[in-house]
Amino acid sequence: AVMDLATVEGLERLLLVGSLEECAKACADLLAATPPTQQLRNPLQIRLCYCAIQSAFSTSKQKQLQDQLEAQHGGLHALPPQVFLLWQLLQLEAGAGALQLCCQQIHDYFQHL
């Protein structure tokens, strides 16, 4: 999989039409093909992260995505701030002890800035 504008726009279209499982799988594949780095900061990577997070939370695959980010990029702190905040908001919306988890993740995130 190659990350280019057309590919990322295709992921965004999958989100818009509600093909969430397909989008989550495509995002995971594209992230797997992304060279390991500490930061996912270029504009296409940011858009990929938005798609990956939205589709992962919509399909209850956030743990798999978090594990993938941990293995390839060192964790959630590799996410740009605006994408990290989306993760936290969706996590809070999911509930189940999320507030304490969010507090810990936010603390860890700022330790890496």
Side-chain angles (χ1 to χ4, degrees):
V2 176
M3 187 175 350
D4 58 17
L5 182 59
T7 303
V8 174
E9 286 176 343
L11 295 173
E12 292 168 339
R13 274 192 299 281
L14 288 173
L15 271 180
L16 288 173
V17 300
S19 297
L20 302 172
E21 289 284 345
E22 186 180 352
C23 185
K25 167 96 173 72
C27 287
D29 291 346
L30 199 52
L31 274 172
T34 303
T37 179
Q38 289 300 100
Q39 305 293 317
L40 295 163
R41 296 285 198 255
N42 79 45
L44 288 179
Q45 289 173 332
I46 291 171
R47 289 169 68 177
L48 167 62
C49 288
Y50 272 119
C51 291
I53 291 169
Q54 289 175 319
S55 61
F57 273 88
S58 298
T59 58
S60 300
K61 290 181 170 53
Q62 60 266 36
K63 176 72 171 110
Q64 291 95 316
L65 177 58
Q66 185 171 355
D67 290 347
Q68 184 177 20
L69 288 169
E70 187 72 42
Q72 282 186 260
H73 303 286
L76 294 178
H77 63 269
L79 298 172
Q82 66 271 39
V83 178
F84 178 76
L85 289 175
L86 172 65
W87 182 284
Q88 297 306 313
L89 291 172
L90 291 173
Q91 190 166 255
L92 283 171
E93 187 176 74
L99 183 58
Q100 184 176 352
L101 182 59
C102 286
C103 289
Q104 182 60 50
Q105 289 176 346
I106 290 168
H107 179 267
D108 293 347
Y109 185 85
F110 283 109
Q111 294 296 315
H112 286 91
L113 287 182

